[in-house]
Amino acid sequence: VLAAKKGSFLEAQSYENHRDTKPRKVRGRETLSQPARELRRGKVAHLYRKGWKRSEIAEHLNLTPDRVSKIYRQYLDRQEVTK
């Protein structure tokens, strides 16, 4: 009985350890690294300044128009913080 309890504990522990090493997915998408997010934010801002429409930017960067707006707001917020 003791061996069975110990075995199930080790199984549970190995499951916990394995679960922490799996890459995290967000709604079926791969997450981007911090530098990649900053680069994307800069691209969105650059295209906005060039006069591109939100839908054009979304199509060009393979995003949704709502996501483009959110990314641009994040960019503007970060500009306010650095001033």
Side-chain angles (χ1 to χ4, degrees), residues 18-48:
H18 178 69
R19 188 180 67 177
D20 292 343
T21 60
K22 284 185 177 179
R24 192 174 140 242
K25 285 191 174 186
V26 179
R27 294 186 189 162
R29 300 183 266 117
E30 292 294 325
T31 58
L32 292 177
S33 65
Q34 181 71 22
R37 284 195 303 270
E38 290 173 4
L39 186 62
R40 185 175 67 179
R41 232 178 258 134
K43 286 179 186 175
V44 167
H46 176 73
L47 293 174
Y48 257 118

Side-chain angles (χ1 to χ4, degrees), residues 18-79:
H18 178 69
R19 188 180 67 177
D20 292 343
T21 60
K22 284 185 177 179
R24 192 174 140 242
K25 285 191 174 186
V26 179
R27 294 186 189 162
R29 300 183 266 117
E30 292 294 325
T31 58
L32 292 177
S33 65
Q34 181 71 22
R37 284 195 303 270
E38 290 173 4
L39 186 62
R40 185 175 67 179
R41 232 178 258 134
K43 286 179 186 175
V44 167
H46 176 73
L47 293 174
Y48 257 118
R49 285 194 300 266
K50 286 181 82 173
W52 286 39
K53 294 179 182 172
R54 189 174 72 150
S55 59
E56 294 170 335
I57 297 171
E59 187 176 336
H60 182 69
L61 297 177
N62 196 23
L63 300 167
T64 63
D66 289 342
R67 171 66 75 195
V68 170
S69 295
K70 181 179 179 183
I71 291 169
Y72 189 61
R73 278 195 316 271
Q74 288 173 344
Y75 171 80
L76 293 177
D77 289 344
R78 289 191 181 272
Q79 296 306 310

